[in-house]
């Protein structure tokens, strides 16, 4: 059963009575079938003191759509505007975005396991390790009392555009086949990680800061990633509790997540609960076998199978479906460009596979670590076309003609051929 109209009348009217709207019904049907709809109509919220609520209440299922099971919902978001990649991700469609900031409801989600619902009252952040002199725990209120900082930054999965290794280069890479939408630009509010480390008495021989999330289904019991102390101390590296002026949404790591500007998205650990600071380097899955460039061009470093990913690369993409269809005639096309190394200086576009380039108009002045919007006018003639865009940043970096293949398909950033059929 896929559509709301196939539901028995009594169930649709019961749903209406219980305040379950059509969109939610559709969502429930899509994710949990008839059983999920029945559950939602019977009892939408499970009381916090329900028998099966976890004792320490760090992982509550209150409010999740499949409240009857002991597994939390895969996503809390309405999923309609996304490209779905099972339980791994909700991909944004850039064509749904007009502005400079990505609305939270359109922001992509990348989870290693299901999203979790953390009860903030029982939640604590512990800071510990051999390179702190005052290990301590922070409640959410403790964190909120610290000086706040807001950073405008894009967040991008290292595997964004991975599908293009297959679609453009003809060599498929392992992993979620993201198109162009595993990226978004948010207004992040929180505290500088460096301040929290200071309060825990970080020592001068600290080298590595391991961030650990609460998700238990991750291969190592909690998604984790180490940052070098210099990046951890950068005032713009945040422990964020706000996105776009509101509380951090559950899918994005409520109540607290790391936001590591310019770095691969995997370092921005969601549902953060533990920080371990050490005088020696941490090697965990996410910097040895995952988030590592593996291939002939990449010798291993430390305990890693290849080159460990840290910063992102410069990229651009059109805010159009891939491939796209347009009516013949004049169009104003727009897109997004971002670089971890500085502001975008220019974006060029080509309609002849990169033989000649024209300059686009870069819109608003770029703030901090944000992406830039660009636009250009194109008079589309009937037929098949391939457009490309190529960004250059103020540090002189530009998108390379070719991205070398790596097994896990990270950092695809050659100018993306964008097929457009004009009728
Ligand atoms: N705890 C936790 N944090 C996580 C992940 C995860 O699975 N669990 N996924 C990471 C990856 S791979 C990415 S790209 C970003 C995505 O952030 P978003 O879902 O808020 O867009 O979160 C990172 N942080
Ligand atoms: Mo990611």
């Amino acid at each position: 059963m896929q559509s709301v109209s196939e539901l028995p009348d009594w169930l649709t009217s019961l749903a209406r009575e219980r305040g379950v709207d059509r969109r939610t019904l559709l969502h429930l049907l899509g994710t949990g079938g008839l059983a999920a709809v029945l559950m939602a109509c019977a009892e939408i919220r499970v009381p916090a003191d329900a028998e099966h609520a976890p004792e320490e209440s760090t992982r509550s299922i209150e409010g999740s759509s499949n409240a009857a099971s002991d597994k939390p919902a895969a996503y809390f978001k309405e999923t309609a505007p996304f490209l779905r990649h099972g339980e791994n991700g909700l991909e944004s469609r850039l064509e749904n975005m007009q502005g400079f900031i990505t609305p939270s409801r359109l922001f992509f989600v990348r989870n290693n396991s299901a999203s979790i619902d953390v009860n903030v009252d029982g939640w604590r952040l512990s800071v510990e390790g051999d390179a702190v002199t005052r290990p301590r725990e922070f409640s959410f209120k403790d964190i909120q009392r610290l000086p706040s900082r807001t950073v405008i930054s894009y967040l991008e999965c290292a595997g964004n555009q991975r599908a293009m290794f297959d679609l453009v280069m003809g060599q498929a890479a392992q992993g979620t086949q993201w198109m162009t939408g595993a990226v978004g630009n948010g207004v992040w509010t929180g505290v500088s990680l460096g301040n929290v480390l200071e309060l825990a008495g970080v020592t001068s021989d600290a080298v590595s800061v391991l961030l650990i999330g609460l998700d238990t289904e991750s291969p190592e019991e909690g998604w984790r990633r180490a940052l070098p102390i210099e990046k951890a101390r950068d005032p713009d590296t945040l422990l964020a509790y706000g996105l776009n002026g509101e509380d951090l949404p559950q899918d994005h790591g409520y109540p607290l997540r790391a936001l590591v500007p310019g770095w691969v998205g995997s370092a921005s650990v969601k549902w953060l609960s533990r920080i371990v600071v050490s005088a020696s380097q941490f090697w965990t899955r996410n910097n040895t076998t995952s988030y590592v460039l593996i291939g002939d061009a990449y010798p291993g470093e430390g305990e890693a199978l290849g080159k460990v990913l840290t910063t992102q690369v410069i990229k651009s993409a059109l805010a159009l479906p891939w491939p796209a269809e347009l009516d013949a005639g004049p169009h104003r096309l727009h897109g997004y460009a971002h670089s971890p190394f500085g502001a975008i200086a220019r974006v060029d576009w080509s309609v002849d596979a990169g033989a000649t380039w024209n300059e686009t108009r870069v819109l608003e002045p770029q703030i901090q670590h944000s992406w830039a919007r660009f636009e250009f006018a194109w008079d589309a003639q009937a037929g098949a076309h391939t457009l490309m865009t190529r960004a250059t940043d103020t540090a002189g970096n530009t998108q390379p003609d070719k991205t070398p293949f790596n097994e896990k398909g990270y950092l695809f950033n050659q100018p993306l051929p964008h097929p457009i059929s004009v009728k």
Side-chain angles (χ1 to χ4, degrees):
M1 190 178 297
Q2 281 301 323
S3 85
V4 173
S5 60
E6 285 171 72
L7 287 176
D9 285 343
W10 65 267
L11 190 51
T12 27
S13 42
L14 180 66
R16 207 173 311 126
E17 227 176 278
R18 298 283 154 95
V20 182
D21 61 20
R22 244 187 114 77
R23 262 181 89 183
T24 311
L25 265 188
L26 253 177
H27 171 68
L28 290 167
L29 265 179
T31 53
L34 197 56
V37 178
L38 281 166
M39 274 313 302
C41 294
E43 174 71 276
I44 289 194
R45 296 181 80 85
V46 175
D49 59 355
E51 262 183 72
H52 49 270
E55 223 169 79
E56 286 191 334
S57 63
T58 46
R59 237 163 272 112
S60 155
I61 55 169
E62 186 182 356
S64 71
S65 60
N66 50 353
S69 86
D70 57 0
K71 261 190 156 186
Y75 306 108
F76 295 98
K77 278 191 180 182
E78 294 286 346
T79 54
F82 295 98
L83 288 173
R84 264 194 93 115
H85 298 277
E87 298 225 340
N88 271 330
L90 300 176
E91 178 172 349
S92 296
R93 296 169 190 256
L94 297 184
E95 65 270 26
N96 287 340
M97 297 183 200
Q98 288 295 338
F100 175 64
I101 298 300
T102 306
S104 305
R105 76 183 171 85
L106 299 181
F107 210 102
F108 84 101
V109 180
R110 200 306 193 190
N111 287 341
N112 199 63
S113 49
S115 279
I116 53 176
D117 185 359
V118 176
N119 177 337
V120 72
D121 298 327
W123 175 91
R124 295 287 181 277
L125 174 70
S126 77
V127 184
E128 59 201 83
D130 61 46
V132 298
T133 54
R134 291 186 299 275
R136 57 174 288 184
E137 283 198 339
F138 296 84
S139 68
F140 193 55
K141 286 205 175 94
D142 294 336
I143 296 287
Q144 284 180 311
R145 279 191 205 108
L146 299 175
S148 81
R149 186 174 180 95
T150 290
V151 164
I152 301 181
S153 176
Y154 78 96
L155 175 70
E156 184 186 28
C157 182
N160 190 29
Q161 302 194 13
R162 177 182 286 127
M164 303 305 167
F165 282 103
D166 185 17
L167 298 172
V168 172
M169 289 165 58
Q171 191 174 6
Q174 304 159 14
T176 305
Q177 296 298 303
W178 301 107
M179 306 289 282
T180 58
V183 58
N185 199 44
V187 182
W188 307 93
T189 299
V191 300
S192 296
L193 167 58
N195 283 358
V196 168
L197 297 182
E198 284 307 320
L199 289 170
V202 62
T203 62
S204 58
D205 61 354
V207 164
S208 193
V209 178
L210 185 63
L211 308 170
I212 306 176
L214 278 170
D215 28 357
T216 53
E217 285 168 74
S218 299
E220 289 174 309
E221 284 293 299
W223 186 259
R224 56 190 62 200
R225 174 63 199 239
L227 298 180
I229 187 70
E230 299 75 28
K231 187 65 181 176
R233 278 211 167 105
D234 181 332
D236 286 347
T237 297
L238 294 188
L239 305 183
Y241 45 70
L243 173 59
N244 298 341
E246 296 177 341
D247 285 350
L248 192 64
Q250 290 172 321
D251 284 321
H252 298 291
Y254 179 86
L256 197 70
R257 78 170 306 162
L259 187 272
V260 188
W263 272 47
V264 289
S266 50
S268 291
V269 176
K270 304 193 277 190
W271 310 294
L272 198 64
S273 70
R274 252 179 97 199
I275 297 176
V276 191
V277 190
S278 179
S280 42
Q281 170 68 39
F282 287 103
W283 296 104
T284 70
R285 171 182 176 268
N286 287 334
N287 62 356
T288 54
T289 56
S290 283
Y291 303 99
V292 169
L293 295 172
I294 302 171
D296 296 342
Y298 307 106
E301 53 184 79
E303 294 176 22
L305 296 182
K307 187 179 181 323
V308 181
L309 295 184
T310 57
T311 50
Q312 281 285 2
V313 288
I314 184 169
K315 269 188 214 187
S316 61
L318 288 170
L320 287 175
W322 194 105
E325 283 180 12
L326 290 176
D327 294 333
H331 287 273
R332 181 192 59 84
L333 300 182
H334 77 284
Y336 298 95
H338 33 89
S339 167
F341 308 113
I344 295 296
R346 61 182 287 164
V347 181
D348 296 285
W349 67 286
S350 168
V351 73
D352 53 14
T356 58
W357 294 92
N358 310 289
E359 196 165 347
T360 72
R361 196 160 75 88
V362 175
L363 301 171
E364 305 83 6
Q366 234 181 295
I367 306 157
Q368 293 170 334
H369 313 282
S370 80
W371 68 14
R373 284 198 305 158
F374 61 87
E375 66 172 29
F376 57 96
W378 184 43
D379 194 8
Q381 311 287 313
H385 303 274
T386 302
L387 263 53
M388 281 165 115
T389 61
R390 186 184 65 193
T392 303
D393 66 22
T394 49
N397 300 290
T398 191
Q399 294 181 245
D401 292 340
K402 197 130 193 82
T403 302
F405 182 78
N406 65 93
E407 277 177 23
K408 299 203 169 182
Y410 298 121
L411 309 185
F412 184 96
N413 78 327
Q414 67 190 60
L416 177 62
H418 205 123
I420 302 180
S421 130
V422 178
K423 291 195 183 97

